[in-house]
Amino acid sequence: MKRFITLILMLLPFSAMASIPEIEALANNYSSTDGVTVVNLTGEMLKMAGGEGSDMTIGDEVIDSLLVIVAENDKHAKAITKKVDKILGKLDLQTISDINVDGTIVKIYMKQLADNKSELVMFVSEDSETALINITGEFTEETMGELLNQIGDI
C-alpha cells in the first residue's frame, strides 16, 4: 500500500489534464462517487500555480494538464479497471512499461501529440485500489525513464 501511495505522489509533479475524451468522460462519471477521488488540473490552473504568465515546469519539462482517478474500494476499483481496459484497448498508445509484481500491476503508455507534446497514461492496481493518471505536456521518454527507475527503487 505504501508503494501505491508513493507512486501516485511521485507522479503528481509530472501530471496534467486528459486529452483522451474517454478518460475525461470516465473522470466525469466518477467525480461525485464516494470512494473515488478525481483530481483534474487544467492548463490554466497549472499556470496559476506556476505564477502569472508561466507554465508549470519540472526542469525543462512543461506540463499542460493532469488527471488522476483513484478508486479506494473493491467495487469501484473493479468497475474502473474494466472500463480502463476497454478504453486502452481502443487507443493507439505505445506501451512503455507493463509490470506485475506481488499483485501490483503498473501499466504505462505514451503517445506523441502535435507540437512536441506527449501524453502519458499510467494505470496502477493493487489489492482493492486502482489509480489512473493521465498527463499531457512537453516531456521526453528520458524523463519517463527516470521516473521508472525511481519507481523500481520503491
Side-chain angles (χ1 to χ4, degrees), residues 1 9 11-12 14 33 35-36 56 58-60 69 71 74 82 92 94 102 107-108 121 125-126 132 143 145:
M1 178 50 96
L9 293 174
L11 286 171
L12 287 177
F14 287 94
T33 303
V36 178
M56 183 71 159
I58 306 296
D60 293 333
I69 304 170
D74 196 46
K82 186 176 178 179
D92 183 28
Q94 176 187 3
D102 297 330
K107 297 179 181 184
I108 303 173
V121 178
S125 180
E126 181 178 55
L132 177 70
T143 303

Side-chain angles (χ1 to χ4, degrees), residues 110-113 116-120 135-139:
M110 195 169 180
K111 181 177 184 175
Q112 285 301 125
L113 305 173
N116 294 325
K117 302 284 183 176
S118 297
E119 182 157 16
L120 178 80
I135 305 165
T136 57
E138 293 179 32
F139 48 86

Side-chain angles (χ1 to χ4, degrees), residues 4-117:
F4 183 76
I5 293 170
T6 303
L7 181 62
I8 299 299
L9 293 174
M10 286 175 53
L11 286 171
L12 287 177
F14 287 94
S15 302
M17 177 181 147
S19 67
I20 299 173
E22 295 89 347
I23 292 177
E24 216 168 313
L26 183 66
N28 289 335
N29 287 342
Y30 283 97
S31 64
S32 298
T33 303
D34 288 338
V36 178
T37 302
V38 176
V39 177
N40 190 358
L41 301 177
T42 65
E44 291 302 314
M45 177 58 118
L46 291 169
K47 283 181 183 179
M48 286 191 306
E52 177 126 1
S54 69
D55 291 316
M56 183 71 159
T57 61
I58 306 296
D60 293 333
E61 315 299 328
V62 177
I63 305 304
D64 296 328
S65 63
L66 157 71
L67 173 71
V68 179
I69 304 170
V70 179
E72 300 164 356
N73 66 47
D74 196 46
K75 175 185 169 188
H76 296 306
K78 286 180 180 178
I80 289 173
T81 298
K82 186 176 178 179
K83 290 176 183 179
V84 167
D85 286 343
K86 187 175 179 179
I87 291 168
L88 294 178
K90 293 179 182 180
L91 299 175
D92 183 28
L93 299 171
Q94 176 187 3
T95 301
I96 300 296
S97 181
D98 193 348
I99 303 167
N100 187 345
V101 177
D102 297 330
T104 300
I105 298 168
V106 179
K107 297 179 181 184
I108 303 173
Y109 304 93
M110 195 169 180
K111 181 177 184 175
Q112 285 301 125
L113 305 173
D115 300 326
N116 294 325
K117 302 284 183 176

